[in-house]
Amino acid sequence: MDKQIDTTMIRVIKAANNMRQSDFSKAVNVSRSLIEKVEQGQMPITAATARYIRKTFDLDAKKIEQVKEAIEILTLKK
């Protein structure tokens, strides 16, 4: 399981890119049902899927941290 790429991160990426599950799954080369299971918490994100997500959306550690900070601010998490 990849701790950098999580369900919230997937939802933010989809929203930022105006993507549906099917669009996102095609972009990262996995099935839509897998993305659905991940988003519902029924399946962890595999290392391979996380790599595809990072590569497809050009996410390095710094960008991921910036997104996570924005999520915390927007959801008022402390």
Side-chain angles (χ1 to χ4, degrees):
M1 182 173 174
D2 188 290
K3 296 186 189 265
Q4 289 184 318
I5 304 293
D6 59 14
T7 301
T8 304
M9 181 70 69
I10 289 174
R11 289 184 176 141
V12 168
I13 293 168
K14 284 175 26 193
N17 291 283
N18 196 28
M19 298 176 108
R20 298 173 297 189
Q21 277 183 341
S22 58
D23 302 324
F24 183 84
S25 66
K26 286 177 188 172
V28 297
N29 200 32
V30 297
S31 70
R32 189 204 55 79
S33 63
L34 183 135
I35 296 301
E36 180 179 25
K37 288 177 183 175
V38 166
E39 285 194 84
Q40 292 176 351
Q42 297 174 350
M43 181 177 234
I45 299 168
T46 65
T49 300
R51 277 193 305 274
Y52 280 125
I53 293 169
R54 285 194 300 270
K55 182 178 178 183
T56 300
F57 295 98
D58 191 28
L59 297 172
D60 59 21
K62 183 177 179 180
K63 287 179 186 177
I64 290 171
E65 192 56 39
Q66 289 171 336
V67 171
K68 288 190 176 277
E69 287 175 10
I71 290 167
E72 286 181 20
I73 291 167
L74 293 171
T75 59
L76 302 175
K77 291 184 181 177
K78 296 181 180 183

